[in-house]
């Protein structure tokens, strides 16, 4: 099998794709936002329970490919318990990782960079330009939800 | 014509070019993708172009390029002659009555929008109905929704069975006194189902309801005779029948087209213009405002020549053989389920595989050189009706080989093994 495919579909990604964590509606949420990728029809709903600028709880539901499910699942794991500022600060480094497969050089690193944790496992998506949006959908939805958007987010 | 659309309505004649070698006419097919021979199975999205079509575009721009119907000079006369000759070829190809019934447009989508805005909008009143079916492509849904919004008319949707067949008795019941148009696809792009369009037209005409047939997926793959079908409008695209992109055809019955107002204004579509009043040109020019896609129309004409050399019945037979082979071969993939199993089918195979998403499947297939389509196929309401987010779709053309179906199946077996690794018991 193609090495780039192995890099993309690592065991951890397949595991999160099959059994997404934090899956399902979140009772008592403070933010709820829909994200859609109109190109493929993938759709997810992100729930956040923000208390005193801290993400006390987070979940999502929806249907999509292994990449979009795993990306959302890993995101929710990463963000539970973080501050809203920390979560927002992660967007750029994650976006860069998914687009280029690279983290910012250490010399220029910003606070978010070292906080990616297992989200780094999605770096392989950068070799598949037609799949990048599958991975960014959850993060676009997150940023819009925390910015107070109420209209569904689209990757287009 | 009706009832047995896949049958041999015209026996393939023996002096035709053999289909088996026609693959060599398509230069693009001879390449590798990701180090593997390209297996192009996305023909419902667009077909590849034979060298003759490609050469005709180049020849036109290198030798004959000029604007049509205007210049009093040799090049303009050549361009006009070839452009209008392409119209005659289209007329013959679909057996329209007269050349004035052939309107060049950008594609199926534009053809349907033209009918929606020029034919239907002026006659629609609030409460009138437009009837479509659950298997329509977005391009045969949204133009009607737009005109319905503009007029207060209502869009009604005839149901299909789980296997992807229209329910004709139900359809017939839905044609009522307020129905102003029935729009139906001849072949479903997502399921492959072939609809008995001549029967459908008869049902509609019994109640004096005109019918538009979306022929995008049919016209390059089977004989099409608009007078045998009896439809009032027929829409198709050049690029799905081995011709260029950006050119397509609206066929309309002359008496209807005569009554319809132009839908775009500009040059070419006028007879005389003053600031007080403009007189419109005659058919077909009334509907061809602006400089048309001259090269595209010429290329479409050459694509028609090419198809006729092979013979549409021969193409249809060959594709039916490929469909039968592919249907059998896909059954070997564990967990695969075909979506769309109507008895009358074109060579389009949509499928699901247990636990796997179409996008993940097609990403892996792409690395095997196999090009398929994944997703909703511009038929989101159909996917919703079937309760699925989308499918993976292999759509065939006559130049595909059984060996390519084998490559697809090998790829799918790898997909299943790859994604099921580490699964309990797997």
């Amino acid at each position: 099998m193609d090495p780039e495919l192995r890099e993309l579909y690592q065991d951890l990604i397949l595991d999160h794709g099959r059994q997404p964590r934090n899956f399902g509606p979140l009772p008592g949420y403070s933010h709820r936002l829909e994200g859609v990728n109109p190109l493929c029809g993938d759709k997810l709903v992100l729930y956040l329970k923000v208390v005193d600028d801290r993400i006390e709880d987070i979940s999502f539901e929806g249907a999509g490919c292994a990449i979009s499910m795993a990306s959302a699942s890993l995101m929710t794991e990463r963000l539970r318990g973080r501050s809203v500022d920390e979560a927002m600060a992660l967007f750029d480094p994650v976006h860069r990782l998914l687009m280029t497969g690279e983290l910012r050089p250490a010399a220029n690193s910003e606070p978010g960079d070292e906080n990616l944790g297992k989200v780094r496992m999605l770096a392989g998506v950068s070799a598949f330009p037609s799949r990048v949006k599958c991975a960014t959908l959850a993060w676009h939805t997150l940023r819009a939800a925390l910015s107070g958007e109420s209209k569904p987010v689209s990757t287009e | 014509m009706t009832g047995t659309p896949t049958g041999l309505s015209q026996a393939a004649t023996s002096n035709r070019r053999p289909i088996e070698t026609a693959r060599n006419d398509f230069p693009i097919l001879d390449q590798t993708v990701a180090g593997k021979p390209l297996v192009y199975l996305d023909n419902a999205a667009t077909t590849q172009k034979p060298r003759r079509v490609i050469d005709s575009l180049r020849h036109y721009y290198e030798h004959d390029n000029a604007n049509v119907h205007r210049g009093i000079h040799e090049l303009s006369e050549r361009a006009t002659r070839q452009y209008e000759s392409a119209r005659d070829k289209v007329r013959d190809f679909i057996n329209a009555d007269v050349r004035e019934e052939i309107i060049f447009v950008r594609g199926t989508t534009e053809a349907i929008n033209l009918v929606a805005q020029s034919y239907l909008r002026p006659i629609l009143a609030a409460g009138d109905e437009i009837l479509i079916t659950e298997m329509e492509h977005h391009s045969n849904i949204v133009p009607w929704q737009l005109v319905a919004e503009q007029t207060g008319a209502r869009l009604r949707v005839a149901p299909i069975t789980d296997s992807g067949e229209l329910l004709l008795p139900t359809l017939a019941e839905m044609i009522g006194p307020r129905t102003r148009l029935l729009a139906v696809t001849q072949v479903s792009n997502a399921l492959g189902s072939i609809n008995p369009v001549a029967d459908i037209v008869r049902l509609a005409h019994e109640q004096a309801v005109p019918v538009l047939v979306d022929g995008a997926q049919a016209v390059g793959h089977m004989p099409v005779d608009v007078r045998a079908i009896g439809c009032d409008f027929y829409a198709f695209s050049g690029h799905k029948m081995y011709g260029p992109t950006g050119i397509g055809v609206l066929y309309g019955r002359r008496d209807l087209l005569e009554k319809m107002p132009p839908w775009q204004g500009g040059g070419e579509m006028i007879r005389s213009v003053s600031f007080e009043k403009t007189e419109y040109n005659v058919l077909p020019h009334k509907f061809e405002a602006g400089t048309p896609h001259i090269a595209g129309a010429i290329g479409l004409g050459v694509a028609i020549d090419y198809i006729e050399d092979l013979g549409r019945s021969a193409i249809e037979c060959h594709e039916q053989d490929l469909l039968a082979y592919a249907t059998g071969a896909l059954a070997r993939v564990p967990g695969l389920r075909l979506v769309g199993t109507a008895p009358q089918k074109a060579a389009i195979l949509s499928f699901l595989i247990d636990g796997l998403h179409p996008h993940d499947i097609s990403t892996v297939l792409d690395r095997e050189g196999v090009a398929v389509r994944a997703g909703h196929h511009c038929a989101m309401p159909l996917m919703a009706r079937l309760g699925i987010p989308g499918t993976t779709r292999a759509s065939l053309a006559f130049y595909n080989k059984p060996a390519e179906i084998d490559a697809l199946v090998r790829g799918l077996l790898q997909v299943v093994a790859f994604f099921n690794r580490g699964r309990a018991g797997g």
Side-chain angles (χ1 to χ4, degrees), chain A residues 95-131:
Chain A
H95 199 253
R96 186 178 316 111
L97 177 79
L98 298 175
M99 297 291 287
T100 67
E102 289 163 14
L103 293 168
R104 201 195 303 262
N108 304 324
S109 70
E110 285 180 12
D113 290 12
E114 67 278 15
N115 284 327
L116 295 183
K118 282 194 271 183
V119 173
R120 287 167 191 256
M121 305 297 263
L122 282 162
V125 79
S126 61
F128 298 83
S130 63
R131 304 302 302 280

Side-chain angles (χ1 to χ4, degrees), chain A residues 4 9 11 18 40 66 131, chain B residues 357 359-360 363 367 419 421:
Chain A
E4 285 182 341
Y9 291 111
D11 291 344
R18 283 178 203 145
C40 61
R131 304 302 302 280
Chain B
H357 192 279
H359 281 105
D360 298 317
T363 289
R367 293 289 160 133
F419 284 109
R421 71 186 196 269

Side-chain angles (χ1 to χ4, degrees), chain B residues 227-285:
Chain B
R227 279 187 287 174
I229 295 169
C231 55
D232 303 273
F233 299 102
Y234 192 92
F236 62 96
S237 300
H239 74 97
K240 293 188 201 288
M241 50 172 287
Y242 317 104
T245 56
I247 189 76
V249 170
L250 171 67
Y251 156 81
R253 261 176 43 212
R254 185 179 190 159
D255 56 322
L256 296 178
L257 292 176
E258 293 282 8
K259 284 184 221 145
M260 288 158 56
W263 85 303
Q264 287 180 346
E268 181 86 15
M269 53 73 71
I270 48 84
R271 182 180 285 149
S272 74
V273 177
S274 71
F275 285 118
E276 288 71 40
K277 180 164 173 59
T278 291
E279 277 184 54
Y280 304 128
N281 206 338
V282 294
L283 286 175
H285 310 295

Side-chain angles (χ1 to χ4, degrees), chain A residues 1-2 4-6 8-11 14 18 37-42 63-67 127-128 130-131 134, chain B residues 34 355 357 359-368 373-376 380 389 414-415 418-423:
Chain A
M1 188 60 72
D2 181 295
E4 285 182 341
L5 278 177
R6 291 220 165 274
L8 175 63
Y9 291 111
Q10 301 183 32
D11 291 344
L14 288 194
R18 283 178 203 145
N37 181 346
L39 281 187
C40 61
D42 279 3
C65 61
I67 308 296
F128 298 83
S130 63
R131 304 302 302 280
C134 308
Chain B
H357 192 279
H359 281 105
D360 298 317
I361 295 171
S362 71
T363 289
V364 175
L365 287 179
D366 179 51
R367 293 289 160 133
E368 294 298 311
R373 172 99 185 255
H376 52 63
M380 289 172 92
Q414 277 184 288
V415 165
F418 180 64
F419 284 109
N420 285 346
R421 71 186 196 269
R423 233 191 244 272

